[in-house]
Amino acid sequence: MSSPASDVPATSAGQRAVVIVAAGTVLALLYVGREVLVPVVLAFFLSLLLAPWVRLYRRLGLGHGLSVLVAVIAFVVIGTGLASMMGSQVVHMARGLPQYEATIRGKVTTLREMTLGRFEIMQGEVGKVINQAEGTLPAAPSAPEHPSASPESPASEAGSVHRPTTPMEVMTRVLSTAWIPLQTAGIVLVVLVFVLLEQESLRDRFIRLAGGSDLRATTAAINDAGARLSRFFLSTFSVNFGVGVAIWLGLTVIGVPNAPLWGCLTAVLRFVPYVGVWMVAALVALFAAAVTPGWSLLVMTLVLYFVVELVVSQLVEPFLYGHTTGLSPLAVVVSAIFWSWLWGPVGLVMSTPLTLCLVVAGRHVEGLNLLNVLLGDAPALTMPQRFYQRALSGDAHEILAEARSFLKRKTFAAYGDSVLLPAMQLGRIDLMRGAISREQQNVLRDAVVKVVETLGHDRSRWSLRRMRPTVLDDASIGRRLRQMRVDVAGRWQGSLAVAPGTLVLCVGLGSVVDDLATEMLTRVLRDLHIDARHLAPDDFAAFDAEPHPEATPDAVSLAYVVSADATAERADCEAMSATLRQRMPGVRIVALLLPEPLVTTDAVVPLGADFDAVTRSLEEAAQQAIALFPADGAGLTPH
C-alpha cells in the first residue's frame, strides 16, 4: 500500500496528462470544426462592431428589431459595394496586364544583366584562368542532334479541352466557384442577425453558465472583454479605414493604376499585425514597377507606404488608443502564426481579437491565469521582484537601466520605498528560510552596493575609487555603503564643528534591512543639502570613548530611528529613543517604521512617549526634515 506522500507525484502527473489531453482535444475540435466555427466566430466579432450602431438607432427611437435590421442592411450594402468595386478593379487590372508585358520583360532583362549577367561574366573569366592554369582548352561543343520533329504535336494528340459554351454551363461553373464564399457569407449574416437580436439574453446565459453565484466577478470579466474588444474593433477599423483612404488618394496622385483596389487591400490586410501592410506594399510596388519603364513610380510607392505607416503607428494610434490591446508584441506575432495555421486567412485576420479573448479569460478565471501571464502585456514580475532576481544574478547594469527610467518620473526616495527596500524584504524572507546561499548573499550585496553607489548623490566622490577587500566584506549592505562615505569624510562622516541645530542623525537598529534603509535615508537627506549622519547603536559608546573638543553643543536638531520590523524590534526602538532623549533632550525624535515582510497593511505599533512623530516611508521622512529646515538654506552645511 502506497503512502500519501508517494501518491502526490502520480496525482500531479495525472493532472498534467489530463491537461495535455484536454488541450489536444480542444485543438482538434477547433481544426475539425473550422467550417462551422469560423463563420460563427466571425459573426460574433462583427456583432461587436455593429452593436454601437444598433444602440444609436435605438436611442433615435427605432425598435430593437428594426435597429438590427437597419444596421445589418447597411453593413451588407457597404460590403457588397466594396466587393463589387474590388472585383471590377481586379477585372480591369487583368485586362491591362498584356500591355505591361513589354515593360516587365525589359525590367527582368535589366535585373538579370545587373545580377546574374555579371555573375556569369565573372564565372567565365574565372573559368578561363583555371583552364590556362591547367594547360587545357575547353572542347568545342558538338552540334546537338535534333530528332526529326513529329508531324503531329502532342497537343493535337491529347485532344482539345472542353470549355463551356452554353449560358447554362457558364452559369453552373460560376455558381460552383462562388458557392462556398456565398455559403459562408450567408451563415455569417444569419448568425449575426440573431446575435444582435439576442445580445442581452446571450449575456445573461453566459453569466449563468460562467458564474451565476458570483455575479460581480463574471460581470467584471464580461465588461472587461466587451470594452477591450469594442475598443479594439472600433479604433482599429477606423484607423485602417483612414489608412486605406490615404493610400487610395496617394496612389492616385502619383499615378498608380487601380488605386481603389490597393487602398481596400491595405485596409483589410492591416488587420494582420506588423506584416500585413508591408505585404500589400510589396505587391503594389511590383505592380508599379510593371506600369512604367522607369523606377521612380516604385520608389514613390514605397515612400508613400513608409510615410503613411510611420505617421499612423507613431502619432495617430498612440493618440487614439495608445496600443492598449493588452497583448505583448510576441503574443501578437505567435497568435497570428497559430490562428492562420488553424483557420487559414480568416484566422490570420481574427488572430488578435481571438487572443485578446483568451487573455481576458486568463485575467478573470484563476485556472486560465497561465494565458494572461504568457500572452498579456502586464509585467510578469513586479519591480521589487525584478530587482531581487537581477541582484541575485549579479546583473547590476539592467537594474541601473530600470532605475534610471524610474528616476525620470519619481524621486530617489520613492525608488527606495517602492523598489529597493521591498526587494530587500524579499531577500530577508529567503534568508530567514535558509533559501539563499552564502555565495548568493555576496552576489546580492555587491549588486545592491553598486546600484546605490551609482545612483546616490555622493557617487562622484568615490565611484572611481577601487573597492579593495576589507574586513567589511562580510558587513551588511548599509554599513558597506556608509564605510565609503567614512573613507572620504572621516569617522563621523563630516566635521563636528558645525552650526547649532544643523545635524540630522539617522540611527538603524542593526538588521540588514535597517542598515540599508538608514543609509538610503541618509543619502536622500544629503541630496536635499541636509547634513545627515548614519549611525549604528554601538557608535554612541565609541563617540563617548574619544575626546571631541571641537564638537558643537546642540548640533543635532532631528534624529530618526529606523526599523524594518517594528513588531519584533519594538523594545529596541523604545530603548534607542530613550537613549537619544537622555543624551539630547531638545532633539525631535521621529520613528521611521517601514512595511514589514508578508504584511499587506501597516501594523499599528504603539511606541513610547519619547517619539515625537512616526513616518512610514523615506519620502514622508524627507518631508519631515524639509519642514524643519528653513527654505533659504540657513544653517545647512554643504557636502
Side-chain angles (χ1 to χ4, degrees):
M1 182 175 179
S2 62
S3 63
S6 63
D7 293 338
V8 174
T11 303
S12 60
Q15 291 177 349
R16 288 195 295 269
V18 170
V19 171
I20 294 174
V21 172
T25 303
V26 170
L27 290 178
L29 291 176
L30 289 175
Y31 183 78
V32 174
R34 63 186 182 276
E35 299 295 336
V36 176
L37 293 176
V38 168
V40 173
V41 173
L42 185 58
F44 272 95
F45 286 157
L46 289 177
S47 68
L48 294 175
L49 182 63
L50 296 182
W53 296 100
V54 174
R55 290 193 293 267
L56 175 62
Y57 296 148
R58 293 183 65 180
R59 286 196 296 268
L60 294 177
L62 300 179
H64 182 59
L66 185 58
S67 299
V68 171
L69 184 62
V70 171
V72 173
I73 290 177
F75 173 75
V76 171
V77 170
I78 295 174
T80 304
L82 290 176
S84 301
M85 185 268 294
M86 292 180 66
S88 63
Q89 290 287 317
V90 170
V91 172
H92 181 268
M93 182 181 65
R95 290 176 178 175
L97 285 179
Q99 63 183 347
Y100 306 139
E101 183 177 357
T103 304
I104 295 174
R105 288 182 177 179
K107 290 192 174 181
V108 169
T109 303
T110 303
L111 291 175
R112 179 180 177 83
E113 292 176 354
M114 294 174 60
T115 56
L116 295 179
R118 295 183 178 180
F119 179 76
E120 291 174 354
I121 294 174
M122 182 182 66
Q123 185 179 14
E125 295 296 331
V126 172
K128 291 180 181 180
V129 173
I130 294 176
N131 291 333
Q132 291 176 0
E134 294 179 352
T136 60
L137 294 176
S142 59
E145 297 182 358
H146 297 282
S148 59
S150 175
E152 296 183 358
S153 63
S156 61
E157 295 178 357
S160 60
V161 179
H162 175 70
R163 296 181 180 179
T165 56
T166 64
M168 184 59 67
E169 291 179 347
V170 174
M171 184 64 66
T172 302
R173 186 170 183 178
V174 171
L175 289 178
S176 63
T177 303
W179 172 248
I180 295 179
L182 290 176
Q183 180 186 20
T184 304
I187 295 174
V188 170
L189 288 178
V190 171
V191 176
L192 175 62
V193 170
F194 282 97
V195 168
L196 291 174
L197 289 174
E198 301 290 334
Q199 191 172 20
E200 288 79 7
S201 177
L202 289 174
R203 182 181 59 188
D204 296 341
R205 294 174 188 274
F206 182 79
I207 292 175
R208 176 68 181 274
L209 291 175
S213 59
D214 192 357
L215 295 178
R216 181 201 58 80
T218 308
T219 303
I222 292 177
N223 291 339
D224 188 12
R228 285 177 178 270
L229 289 174
S230 296
R231 182 172 63 248
F232 170 79
F233 273 111
L234 291 176
S235 57
T236 305
F237 179 81
S238 302
V239 171
N240 291 356
F241 178 79
V243 171
V245 172
I247 294 297
W248 180 350
L249 297 177
L251 293 178
T252 302
V253 171
I254 64 178
V256 177
N258 307 112
L261 173 63
W262 306 124
C264 292
L265 281 179
T266 303
V268 172
L269 287 183
R270 203 174 181 276
F271 281 97
V272 179
Y274 300 115
V275 298
V277 66
W278 300 114
M279 292 168 57
V280 185
L283 184 61
V284 179
L286 290 176
F287 181 73
V291 171
T292 58
W295 300 94
S296 59
L297 191 60
L298 182 147
V299 174
M300 287 189 293
T301 300
L302 293 177
V303 170
L304 173 65
Y305 271 91
F306 178 78
V307 171
V308 171
E309 183 63 20
L310 181 65
V311 171
V312 171
S313 61
Q314 300 299 323
L315 297 178
V316 178
E317 287 180 336
F319 177 76
L320 288 180
Y321 53 91
H323 300 288
T324 55
T325 58
L327 300 177
S328 66
L330 179 61
V332 172
V333 175
V334 173
S335 65
I337 298 173
F338 173 78
W339 289 110
S340 62
W341 165 76
L342 199 63
W343 285 354
V346 179
L348 180 62
V349 175
M350 295 192 301
S351 60
T352 300
L354 285 170
T355 309
L356 186 58
C357 292
L358 295 178
V359 170
V360 173
R363 182 168 300 173
H364 296 281
V365 180
E366 184 177 357
L368 301 177
N369 185 53
L370 176 67
L371 298 175
N372 184 33
V373 175
L374 293 179
L375 304 176
D377 60 351
L381 299 177
T382 63
M383 292 189 68
Q385 289 173 336
R386 290 202 303 271
F387 184 103
Y388 181 54
Q389 185 273 329
R390 285 149 178 78
L392 284 175
S393 303
D395 192 356
H397 296 288
E398 189 169 351
I399 297 176
L400 286 171
E402 292 187 357
R404 291 189 178 102
S405 177
F406 183 95
L407 294 176
K408 291 179 181 178
R409 307 183 307 272
K410 297 184 179 180
T411 63
F412 184 60
Y415 182 76
D417 288 327
S418 58
V419 180
L420 198 152
L421 293 179
M424 291 300 97
Q425 293 285 27
L426 296 176
R428 179 182 179 181
I429 294 172
D430 284 346
L431 186 62
M432 294 170 59
R433 294 174 177 173
I436 180 172
S437 65
R438 184 61 177 270
E439 181 181 357
Q440 289 176 319
Q441 294 179 39
N442 294 333
V443 173
L444 175 66
R445 181 172 58 244
D446 293 340
V448 175
V449 167
K450 183 176 181 179
V451 169
V452 177
E453 177 192 359
T454 305
L455 296 178
H457 177 75
D458 296 332
R459 63 184 180 274
S460 59
R461 296 184 178 181
W462 54 71
S463 59
L464 298 179
R465 296 167 62 97
R466 184 176 179 180
M467 295 176 56
R468 299 177 180 177
T470 65
V471 294
L472 289 174
D473 284 346
D474 293 332
S476 66
I477 299 172
R479 296 207 178 192
R480 286 188 63 179
L481 291 169
R482 185 187 72 164
Q483 185 62 36
M484 295 178 183
R485 183 164 54 255
V486 169
D487 293 340
V488 174
R491 173 69 175 85
W492 305 109
Q493 307 162 49
S495 174
L496 297 178
V498 296
T502 58
L503 289 185
V504 176
L505 299 184
C506 302
V507 184
L509 296 181
S511 71
V512 174
V513 182
D514 291 345
D515 289 339
L516 179 58
T518 306
E519 178 61 24
M520 291 286 294
L521 177 60
T522 304
R523 289 172 177 255
V524 168
L525 296 179
R526 293 175 77 91
D527 283 346
L528 297 172
H529 302 285
I530 297 174
D531 194 356
R533 312 288 176 93
H534 176 185
L535 298 181
D538 53 358
D539 287 332
F540 292 97
F543 185 85
D544 293 336
E546 301 174 359
H548 301 285
E550 77 282 6
T552 302
D554 300 328
V556 180
S557 61
L558 178 62
Y560 290 96
V561 178
V562 182
S563 173
D565 191 354
T567 303
E569 298 175 344
R570 176 183 174 184
D572 295 334
C573 285
E574 294 181 348
M576 179 54 64
S577 65
T579 300
L580 292 173
R581 184 65 66 194
Q582 181 181 3
R583 298 176 65 93
M584 296 167 284
V587 170
R588 178 177 175 82
I589 303 176
V590 178
L592 173 55
L593 306 182
L594 298 172
E596 301 177 18
L598 302 180
V599 176
T600 56
T601 58
D602 293 335
V604 179
V605 180
L607 298 176
D610 291 324
F611 285 103
D612 297 302
V614 176
T615 59
R616 297 287 181 177
S617 65
L618 295 176
E619 281 196 307
E620 187 179 353
Q623 292 298 327
Q624 289 265 354
I626 292 174
L628 292 178
F629 285 84
D632 59 358
L636 302 184
T637 59
H639 287 269

